[in-house]
Amino acid sequence: MNALVLCWSVMAVLRGLEENMPGVIRTLRQTVCHVLQRSTACRCRKEALPGLFPGPSPWQLPADANFHSASFSETDQPRVLITGGLGQLGVGLANFLRKRFGKDNVILSDIRKPSDHIFRSGPFIYSDILDYKNLRETVVNHRITWLFHYSALLSAVGETNVSLARAVNITGLHNILDVATEHNLRLFVPSTIGAFGPTSPRNPTPDICTQRPRTIYGVSKVHAELMGEYYYYRYGLDFRCLRYPGIISADSQPGGGTTDYAVQIFHDAVKNGKFECNLKASTRLPMMYIDDCIRATLEVMEAPAESLSMRTYNVNAMSFSPEELAQEVLKHVPEFQITYNVDSVRQAIADSWPMNFDDSNARKDWGWKHDFDLPELVTTMLNFHGFDTRVAQAN
């Protein structure tokens, strides 16, 4: 046992020296890791992670190591970190979770500067998912227990900068997985309709089927699903994932996704009375209002582990085409006009995606049920943007 204590002490020293002599120190550290593996081989799987810990943190302390820190229990409020928090979903999720768990227990993070309103609404920090040391310090210093990983380059934007999308969506994910496993976090990583491809069944698309996406965004999301499931089975990481349909939110700007026309149409309908759509009129895709999306995310995170039959679920609310959405908008804005100027890149992406999601497993396993259908969605969005739908319907 004294030899083990010495090995752990040596590991701590080597980690401190690695920044100055990375090649030599990494070799020595791996040797010590090998000794520790052999010394702890008799421990059961629940007491220590088997094998070398992957990524920038290649070792794991035994469960009986003595630290002066309190462990998280189910009766405590979770300490939440949201990465990529200034995107379409992060701010809304933070507001929702702060009402549930308390303002100071939910930390929003991003590499961009927040608006004054967001900065004043609750804790915000700078956090770069490509900086493993910074990410690790954030988790430790803020005693994080739940992590929602929203940092990503979306479909259309990712195709214009594949190398950046690969770095953010894949390398960043690896850092998140390693930190979450090392510190025993409950981890949520969103996936997408973009995780499917042209050979996938499209109407409906089940949870488990051929995927084969053809965008870097979709490829990275399939990678995230499989890596999360692997970490669950290999290391015991509490990984949870939902495949979101197109998400429609009233209080955020479109972020470069293929389904963003269904957000922009409301901005333009109220402001100009007309909208130019970059997809064909008949392009049917699954969609969801942001309130349903955020509620589904919390529900799957709170679901008892034993109720989950899988780690990644489809969730859905409705499915419509630009033409059908425009017809619903016309019921409230009679002068509204829609034209089509098809973007070939976005259209090819949409044509490879599901037309409708089969989310029966989510409904069966943890009771998922959506609140917003298309009529409720349109009324809510127009009212938010200052258009009085009651007056329009009366006229």
Side-chain angles (χ1 to χ4, degrees):
M1 207 48 203
N2 289 336
L4 274 179
V5 173
L6 177 61
C7 284
W8 289 118
S9 300
V10 171
M11 284 294 292
V13 173
L14 293 178
R15 175 166 292 279
L17 294 173
E18 187 172 0
E19 290 185 3
N20 297 322
M21 297 180 290
V24 175
I25 299 303
R26 189 176 297 114
T27 301
L28 290 173
R29 198 176 66 188
Q30 289 172 351
T31 302
V32 176
C33 282
H34 180 68
V35 173
L36 288 169
Q37 280 185 274
R38 293 175 61 87
S39 301
T40 59
C42 62
R43 298 182 185 276
C44 69
R45 184 174 183 269
K46 291 184 179 179
E47 288 182 332
L49 301 182
L52 290 178
F53 192 87
S57 181
W59 54 279
Q60 173 71 17
L61 294 177
D64 57 359
N66 184 23
F67 288 97
H68 298 288
S69 60
S71 61
F72 172 76
S73 71
E74 293 298 327
T75 59
D76 296 327
Q77 298 283 38
R79 293 277 298 170
V80 177
L81 175 67
I82 303 172
T83 67
L86 297 184
Q88 182 187 17
L89 299 176
V91 174
L93 178 65
N95 292 337
F96 188 75
L97 295 179
R98 283 167 178 163
K99 292 176 183 177
R100 181 69 173 270
F101 302 126
K103 184 175 75 170
D104 293 335
N105 284 326
V106 180
I107 300 171
L108 203 60
S109 73
D110 209 303
I111 59 172
R112 294 180 291 156
K113 183 179 179 180
S115 66
D116 290 343
H117 169 72
I118 293 174
F119 188 77
R120 289 193 299 266
S121 66
F124 180 91
I125 62 171
Y126 173 90
S127 184
D128 182 358
I129 62 167
L130 296 179
D131 183 343
Y132 182 83
K133 183 179 179 182
N134 168 255
L135 187 62
R136 201 162 178 259
E137 288 175 347
T138 297
V139 168
V140 171
N141 291 344
H142 294 277
R143 300 179 296 111
I144 300 302
T145 55
W146 283 15
L147 200 162
F148 293 83
H149 176 51
Y150 279 102
S151 297
L153 260 66
L154 301 184
S155 54
V157 174
E159 291 306 292
T160 65
N161 195 337
V162 172
S163 60
L164 180 59
R166 187 173 60 233
V168 173
N169 296 5
I170 295 178
T171 304
L173 169 77
H174 293 173
N175 289 340
I176 292 290
L177 288 169
D178 290 345
V179 167
T181 305
E182 183 179 0
H183 295 285
N184 195 31
L185 309 184
R186 181 171 296 181
L187 173 63
F188 178 84
V189 178
S191 189
T192 168
I193 54 174
F196 297 96
T199 57
S200 305
R202 297 188 66 209
N203 192 19
T205 303
D207 286 302
I208 300 175
C209 63
T210 301
Q211 292 185 253
R212 294 288 189 256
R214 293 186 179 176
T215 65
I216 186 60
Y217 177 60
V219 168
S220 69
K221 286 303 184 180
V222 174
H223 178 76
E225 294 175 14
L226 295 177
M227 286 295 288
E229 187 171 320
Y230 172 77
Y231 271 59
Y232 167 71
Y233 286 109
R234 182 71 168 86
Y235 301 109
L237 173 65
D238 191 353
F239 171 85
R240 305 180 184 208
C241 176
L242 295 179
R243 293 192 190 107
Y244 291 154
I247 303 301
I248 301 172
S249 57
D251 59 350
S252 63
Q253 294 295 321
T258 301
T259 59
D260 279 353
Y261 84 87
V263 177
Q264 190 64 49
I265 189 173
F266 295 102
H267 291 268
D268 291 2
V270 172
K271 185 178 179 180
N272 306 317
K274 58 184 179 180
F275 172 67
E276 182 178 89
C277 184
N278 53 27
L279 296 179
K280 293 178 183 177
S282 60
T283 306
R284 178 175 297 276
L285 292 168
M287 300 283 186
M288 179 182 287
Y289 185 57
I290 190 170
D291 287 12
D292 277 341
C293 172
I294 290 172
R295 183 170 53 82
T297 301
L298 178 58
E299 286 179 5
V300 77
M301 282 292 276
E302 290 189 319
E306 60 271 15
S307 71
L308 304 179
S309 63
M310 55 189 66
R311 291 288 117 184
T312 298
Y313 289 90
N314 293 343
V315 286
N316 197 21
M318 66 195 90
S319 182
F320 56 77
S321 67
E323 184 177 39
E324 291 168 337
L325 178 57
Q327 288 299 318
E328 193 66 35
V329 172
L330 272 168
K331 294 178 182 178
H332 304 278
V333 190
E335 68 278 13
F336 175 70
Q337 296 179 342
I338 185 169
T339 57
Y340 297 91
N341 182 15
V342 177
D343 181 321
S344 59
V345 173
R346 291 177 189 250
Q347 186 64 50
I349 293 172
D351 288 342
S352 71
W353 284 359
M355 299 170 66
N356 195 17
F357 258 163
D358 175 2
D359 61 356
S360 56
N361 284 316
R363 294 175 186 268
K364 173 173 62 73
D365 287 359
W366 43 276
W368 163 241
K369 184 179 180 181
H370 69 278
D371 287 335
F372 287 80
D373 289 314
L374 182 57
E376 292 85 1
L377 166 73
V378 170
T379 299
T380 301
M381 290 291 289
L382 289 175
N383 284 341
F384 182 89
H385 288 290
F387 190 88
D388 193 336
T389 56
R390 293 169 299 176
V391 172
Q393 288 174 334
N395 289 338

